[in-house]
Every structure is written in structure tokens, then in C-alpha cells.
Amino acid sequence: DLYAVADVMVIPSKFEAQSVAVLEAWAAGKPVVVADVGGMGPMVRQLGAGFVWVPNTGPTGLAKILFHVLVSGHSKELLIKIRMARDYYDIRKIVEKYVNIYENLVKK
């Protein structure tokens, strides 16, 4: 319910590997703003389904990104990228990839 009423998911963690919350936000069709730490920044950049905040820009840098996101709204291109990210990380596809990895290992 919270994702449904949210405009954007913000994860300003200074220490984070790869947040499941990013995947949850994309599953709900929401863009993300993540700190450029761990795997979150590269993941968001690769798929283009959100925005990356560099922590050393401080709260002002984060505020600028949030202002941009909230004022400009969600472009059609961004919404398409969110759908692509959701499909890319679909649990059925992930499970299938793991099964293939294990099957290949067993064959060796």
C-alpha cells in the first residue's frame, strides 16, 4: 500500500550492498533514488530506472535530485525503463537462471 501512494522510493543509505527495496519499488512501478554505494548505483545506472545520488554531495545534492524527480514527474521513457527493470529482475527469470547454473554444474 505504501508503494502505491509513493511518487518515488528513496534509499539514501551510505552502506548498502544491493537493496531489495529497489526491486520492490520497481515491482510497484516506482522510480528510485539511490545512494551510489554498493551495487545500487551501477544497477540503477545500467537499467536507467531511477536516479543516483552521490553521497559526498550531501543533503543538498539529494534534495536537488528529489526536487527534479518530483517537479518533472515520471516521463514515459522512465516508466518504460521501470517496466524493463521489473521484467529483468522477475523472480521467475532469476529462478530459471539459477536452475540453469546448477544444472550446468551437475553436468560437469
mmCIF file of all heavy atoms in Angstrom, residues 18-50:
data_model
loop_
_atom_site.group_PDB
_atom_site.id
_atom_site.type_symbol
_atom_site.label_atom_id
_atom_site.label_comp_id
_atom_site.label_asym_id
_atom_site.label_seq_id
_atom_site.Cartn_x
_atom_site.Cartn_y
_atom_site.Cartn_z
ATOM 1 N N GLN A 18 23.047 -4.310 -2.007
ATOM 2 C CA GLN A 18 22.055 -4.198 -3.083
ATOM 3 C C GLN A 18 20.697 -4.371 -2.422
ATOM 4 O O GLN A 18 20.322 -5.450 -2.022
ATOM 5 C CB GLN A 18 22.290 -5.252 -4.147
ATOM 6 C CG GLN A 18 21.440 -5.065 -5.357
ATOM 7 C CD GLN A 18 21.902 -5.942 -6.511
ATOM 8 O OE1 GLN A 18 22.956 -6.537 -6.471
ATOM 9 N NE2 GLN A 18 21.095 -6.019 -7.521
ATOM 10 N N SER A 19 19.971 -3.315 -2.334
ATOM 11 C CA SER A 19 18.737 -3.299 -1.572
ATOM 12 C C SER A 19 17.585 -3.992 -2.295
ATOM 13 O O SER A 19 17.329 -3.738 -3.471
ATOM 14 C CB SER A 19 18.348 -1.848 -1.283
ATOM 15 O OG SER A 19 17.122 -1.800 -0.605
ATOM 16 N N VAL A 20 16.898 -4.850 -1.574
ATOM 17 C CA VAL A 20 15.692 -5.489 -2.096
ATOM 18 C C VAL A 20 14.602 -4.432 -2.300
ATOM 19 O O VAL A 20 13.743 -4.570 -3.168
ATOM 20 C CB VAL A 20 15.214 -6.608 -1.138
ATOM 21 C CG1 VAL A 20 13.860 -7.151 -1.547
ATOM 22 C CG2 VAL A 20 16.244 -7.723 -1.090
ATOM 23 N N ALA A 21 14.676 -3.349 -1.535
ATOM 24 C CA ALA A 21 13.682 -2.279 -1.667
ATOM 25 C C ALA A 21 13.678 -1.680 -3.072
ATOM 26 O O ALA A 21 12.634 -1.240 -3.557
ATOM 27 C CB ALA A 21 13.927 -1.196 -0.622
ATOM 28 N N VAL A 22 14.826 -1.667 -3.739
ATOM 29 C CA VAL A 22 14.873 -1.184 -5.129
ATOM 30 C C VAL A 22 14.005 -2.077 -6.001
ATOM 31 O O VAL A 22 13.190 -1.594 -6.797
ATOM 32 C CB VAL A 22 16.327 -1.156 -5.666
ATOM 33 C CG1 VAL A 22 16.355 -0.842 -7.148
ATOM 34 C CG2 VAL A 22 17.164 -0.159 -4.891
ATOM 35 N N LEU A 23 14.151 -3.378 -5.843
ATOM 36 C CA LEU A 23 13.364 -4.325 -6.627
ATOM 37 C C LEU A 23 11.876 -4.205 -6.301
ATOM 38 O O LEU A 23 11.027 -4.292 -7.189
ATOM 39 C CB LEU A 23 13.852 -5.753 -6.391
ATOM 40 C CG LEU A 23 15.330 -6.009 -6.686
ATOM 41 C CD1 LEU A 23 15.696 -7.451 -6.363
ATOM 42 C CD2 LEU A 23 15.681 -5.660 -8.110
ATOM 43 N N GLU A 24 11.567 -3.996 -5.023
ATOM 44 C CA GLU A 24 10.168 -3.827 -4.618
ATOM 45 C C GLU A 24 9.570 -2.575 -5.249
ATOM 46 O O GLU A 24 8.426 -2.588 -5.714
ATOM 47 C CB GLU A 24 10.058 -3.735 -3.099
ATOM 48 C CG GLU A 24 10.375 -5.028 -2.389
ATOM 49 C CD GLU A 24 10.453 -4.871 -0.887
ATOM 50 O OE1 GLU A 24 10.486 -3.731 -0.374
ATOM 51 O OE2 GLU A 24 10.488 -5.907 -0.199
ATOM 52 N N ALA A 25 10.334 -1.490 -5.271
ATOM 53 C CA ALA A 25 9.848 -0.244 -5.868
ATOM 54 C C ALA A 25 9.587 -0.446 -7.357
ATOM 55 O O ALA A 25 8.543 -0.019 -7.877
ATOM 56 C CB ALA A 25 10.848 0.882 -5.643
ATOM 57 N N TRP A 26 10.516 -1.079 -8.043
ATOM 58 C CA TRP A 26 10.308 -1.331 -9.473
ATOM 59 C C TRP A 26 9.119 -2.243 -9.698
ATOM 60 O O TRP A 26 8.349 -2.030 -10.641
ATOM 61 C CB TRP A 26 11.563 -1.918 -10.097
ATOM 62 C CG TRP A 26 12.675 -0.925 -10.266
ATOM 63 C CD1 TRP A 26 12.573 0.437 -10.307
ATOM 64 C CD2 TRP A 26 14.053 -1.222 -10.434
ATOM 65 N NE1 TRP A 26 13.810 1.010 -10.484
ATOM 66 C CE2 TRP A 26 14.745 0.012 -10.564
ATOM 67 C CE3 TRP A 26 14.785 -2.392 -10.482
ATOM 68 C CZ2 TRP A 26 16.117 0.094 -10.756
ATOM 69 C CZ3 TRP A 26 16.156 -2.304 -10.663
ATOM 70 C CH2 TRP A 26 16.808 -1.081 -10.801
ATOM 71 N N ALA A 27 8.944 -3.237 -8.839
ATOM 72 C CA ALA A 27 7.788 -4.125 -8.970
ATOM 73 C C ALA A 27 6.480 -3.353 -8.824
ATOM 74 O O ALA A 27 5.479 -3.689 -9.445
ATOM 75 C CB ALA A 27 7.857 -5.248 -7.929
ATOM 76 N N ALA A 28 6.520 -2.270 -8.030
ATOM 77 C CA ALA A 28 5.341 -1.424 -7.839
ATOM 78 C C ALA A 28 5.259 -0.323 -8.893
ATOM 79 O O ALA A 28 4.362 0.518 -8.852
ATOM 80 C CB ALA A 28 5.366 -0.804 -6.440
ATOM 81 N N GLY A 29 6.216 -0.303 -9.831
ATOM 82 C CA GLY A 29 6.194 0.691 -10.895
ATOM 83 C C GLY A 29 6.699 2.061 -10.496
ATOM 84 O O GLY A 29 6.349 3.064 -11.106
ATOM 85 N N LYS A 30 7.537 2.111 -9.470
ATOM 86 C CA LYS A 30 8.038 3.389 -8.952
ATOM 87 C C LYS A 30 9.517 3.581 -9.276
ATOM 88 O O LYS A 30 10.299 2.638 -9.214
ATOM 89 C CB LYS A 30 7.863 3.458 -7.426
ATOM 90 C CG LYS A 30 6.434 3.256 -6.967
ATOM 91 C CD LYS A 30 5.507 4.319 -7.521
ATOM 92 C CE LYS A 30 4.071 4.046 -7.111
ATOM 93 N NZ LYS A 30 3.172 5.095 -7.522
ATOM 94 N N PRO A 31 9.912 4.813 -9.580
ATOM 95 C CA PRO A 31 11.335 5.091 -9.765
ATOM 96 C C PRO A 31 12.034 5.122 -8.418
ATOM 97 O O PRO A 31 11.383 5.258 -7.379
ATOM 98 C CB PRO A 31 11.349 6.465 -10.423
ATOM 99 C CG PRO A 31 10.104 7.123 -9.937
ATOM 100 C CD PRO A 31 9.089 6.013 -9.774
ATOM 101 N N VAL A 32 13.332 4.998 -8.458
ATOM 102 C CA VAL A 32 14.124 5.020 -7.230
ATOM 103 C C VAL A 32 15.175 6.113 -7.294
ATOM 104 O O VAL A 32 15.641 6.487 -8.370
ATOM 105 C CB VAL A 32 14.801 3.656 -6.965
ATOM 106 C CG1 VAL A 32 13.776 2.565 -6.736
ATOM 107 C CG2 VAL A 32 15.737 3.282 -8.105
ATOM 108 N N VAL A 33 15.544 6.608 -6.124
ATOM 109 C CA VAL A 33 16.712 7.461 -5.957
ATOM 110 C C VAL A 33 17.570 6.721 -4.945
ATOM 111 O O VAL A 33 17.129 6.472 -3.819
ATOM 112 C CB VAL A 33 16.346 8.870 -5.423
ATOM 113 C CG1 VAL A 33 17.611 9.668 -5.146
ATOM 114 C CG2 VAL A 33 15.442 9.602 -6.397
ATOM 115 N N VAL A 34 18.762 6.319 -5.370
ATOM 116 C CA VAL A 34 19.623 5.523 -4.505
ATOM 117 C C VAL A 34 20.966 6.210 -4.319
ATOM 118 O O VAL A 34 21.424 6.963 -5.182
ATOM 119 C CB VAL A 34 19.853 4.105 -5.073
ATOM 120 C CG1 VAL A 34 18.538 3.360 -5.228
ATOM 121 C CG2 VAL A 34 20.604 4.143 -6.389
ATOM 122 N N ALA A 35 21.587 5.914 -3.194
ATOM 123 C CA ALA A 35 22.951 6.369 -2.963
ATOM 124 C C ALA A 35 23.884 5.545 -3.844
ATOM 125 O O ALA A 35 23.646 4.360 -4.084
ATOM 126 C CB ALA A 35 23.319 6.196 -1.498
ATOM 127 N N ASP A 36 24.918 6.167 -4.326
ATOM 128 C CA ASP A 36 25.882 5.478 -5.182
ATOM 129 C C ASP A 36 26.862 4.691 -4.310
ATOM 130 O O ASP A 36 28.043 5.018 -4.202
ATOM 131 C CB ASP A 36 26.621 6.496 -6.045
ATOM 132 C CG ASP A 36 27.356 5.844 -7.201
ATOM 133 O OD1 ASP A 36 27.164 4.634 -7.415
ATOM 134 O OD2 ASP A 36 28.123 6.552 -7.880
ATOM 135 N N VAL A 37 26.335 3.655 -3.672
ATOM 136 C CA VAL A 37 27.131 2.778 -2.818
ATOM 137 C C VAL A 37 26.809 1.332 -3.166
ATOM 138 O O VAL A 37 25.717 1.035 -3.663
ATOM 139 C CB VAL A 37 26.873 3.029 -1.311
ATOM 140 C CG1 VAL A 37 27.274 4.433 -0.917
ATOM 141 C CG2 VAL A 37 25.417 2.773 -0.946
ATOM 142 N N GLY A 38 27.730 0.454 -2.896
ATOM 143 C CA GLY A 38 27.497 -0.960 -3.160
ATOM 144 C C GLY A 38 27.105 -1.196 -4.606
ATOM 145 O O GLY A 38 27.631 -0.582 -5.521
ATOM 146 N N GLY A 39 26.116 -2.053 -4.786
ATOM 147 C CA GLY A 39 25.672 -2.379 -6.136
ATOM 148 C C GLY A 39 24.499 -1.568 -6.621
ATOM 149 O O GLY A 39 24.068 -1.718 -7.767
ATOM 150 N N MET A 40 23.956 -0.698 -5.757
ATOM 151 C CA MET A 40 22.736 0.026 -6.144
ATOM 152 C C MET A 40 22.972 1.018 -7.275
ATOM 153 O O MET A 40 22.192 1.060 -8.231
ATOM 154 C CB MET A 40 22.130 0.743 -4.938
ATOM 155 C CG MET A 40 21.562 -0.187 -3.898
ATOM 156 S SD MET A 40 20.572 0.654 -2.642
ATOM 157 C CE MET A 40 21.677 1.933 -2.058
ATOM 158 N N GLY A 41 24.004 1.836 -7.175
ATOM 159 C CA GLY A 41 24.267 2.834 -8.210
ATOM 160 C C GLY A 41 24.446 2.203 -9.583
ATOM 161 O O GLY A 41 23.765 2.588 -10.540
ATOM 162 N N PRO A 42 25.350 1.221 -9.697
ATOM 163 C CA PRO A 42 25.533 0.577 -11.002
ATOM 164 C C PRO A 42 24.258 -0.088 -11.528
ATOM 165 O O PRO A 42 23.979 -0.034 -12.722
ATOM 166 C CB PRO A 42 26.627 -0.464 -10.727
ATOM 167 C CG PRO A 42 27.395 0.092 -9.573
ATOM 168 C CD PRO A 42 26.369 0.804 -8.729
ATOM 169 N N MET A 43 23.492 -0.706 -10.637
ATOM 170 C CA MET A 43 22.260 -1.373 -11.054
ATOM 171 C C MET A 43 21.268 -0.360 -11.641
ATOM 172 O O MET A 43 20.679 -0.591 -12.695
ATOM 173 C CB MET A 43 21.633 -2.101 -9.853
ATOM 174 C CG MET A 43 20.349 -2.838 -10.168
ATOM 175 S SD MET A 43 19.761 -3.862 -8.796
ATOM 176 C CE MET A 43 19.194 -2.644 -7.648
ATOM 177 N N VAL A 44 21.104 0.771 -10.957
ATOM 178 C CA VAL A 44 20.163 1.791 -11.423
ATOM 179 C C VAL A 44 20.676 2.430 -12.707
ATOM 180 O O VAL A 44 19.909 2.663 -13.642
ATOM 181 C CB VAL A 44 19.898 2.837 -10.322
ATOM 182 C CG1 VAL A 44 19.092 4.013 -10.858
ATOM 183 C CG2 VAL A 44 19.147 2.182 -9.157
ATOM 184 N N ARG A 45 21.965 2.701 -12.772
ATOM 185 C CA ARG A 45 22.539 3.293 -13.992
ATOM 186 C C ARG A 45 22.372 2.364 -15.189
ATOM 187 O O ARG A 45 22.028 2.792 -16.282
ATOM 188 C CB ARG A 45 24.019 3.583 -13.795
ATOM 189 C CG ARG A 45 24.303 4.922 -13.224
ATOM 190 C CD ARG A 45 25.797 5.251 -13.348
ATOM 191 N NE ARG A 45 26.159 6.128 -12.256
ATOM 192 C CZ ARG A 45 26.618 5.735 -11.084
ATOM 193 N NH1 ARG A 45 26.814 4.464 -10.822
ATOM 194 N NH2 ARG A 45 26.899 6.614 -10.146
ATOM 195 N N GLN A 46 22.647 1.083 -14.982
ATOM 196 C CA GLN A 46 22.574 0.115 -16.072
ATOM 197 C C GLN A 46 21.177 0.079 -16.672
ATOM 198 O O GLN A 46 21.021 0.053 -17.892
ATOM 199 C CB GLN A 46 22.956 -1.279 -15.583
ATOM 200 C CG GLN A 46 22.790 -2.357 -16.649
ATOM 201 C CD GLN A 46 22.925 -3.761 -16.102
ATOM 202 O OE1 GLN A 46 23.075 -3.972 -14.900
ATOM 203 N NE2 GLN A 46 22.867 -4.735 -16.974
ATOM 204 N N LEU A 47 20.164 0.085 -15.823
ATOM 205 C CA LEU A 47 18.798 -0.051 -16.305
ATOM 206 C C LEU A 47 18.115 1.295 -16.529
ATOM 207 O O LEU A 47 17.092 1.362 -17.194
ATOM 208 C CB LEU A 47 17.991 -0.910 -15.330
ATOM 209 C CG LEU A 47 18.551 -2.334 -15.159
ATOM 210 C CD1 LEU A 47 17.855 -3.052 -14.025
ATOM 211 C CD2 LEU A 47 18.436 -3.113 -16.452
ATOM 212 N N GLY A 48 18.663 2.362 -15.975
ATOM 213 C CA GLY A 48 18.096 3.695 -16.174
ATOM 214 C C GLY A 48 16.734 3.898 -15.548
ATOM 215 O O GLY A 48 15.990 4.790 -15.940
ATOM 216 N N ALA A 49 16.407 3.066 -14.559
ATOM 217 C CA ALA A 49 15.076 3.096 -13.953
ATOM 218 C C ALA A 49 15.051 3.891 -12.656
ATOM 219 O O ALA A 49 14.369 3.537 -11.702
ATOM 220 C CB ALA A 49 14.571 1.675 -13.719
ATOM 221 N N GLY A 50 15.832 4.957 -12.616
ATOM 222 C CA GLY A 50 15.866 5.773 -11.418
ATOM 223 C C GLY A 50 17.013 6.763 -11.483
ATOM 224 O O GLY A 50 17.539 7.059 -12.565
#
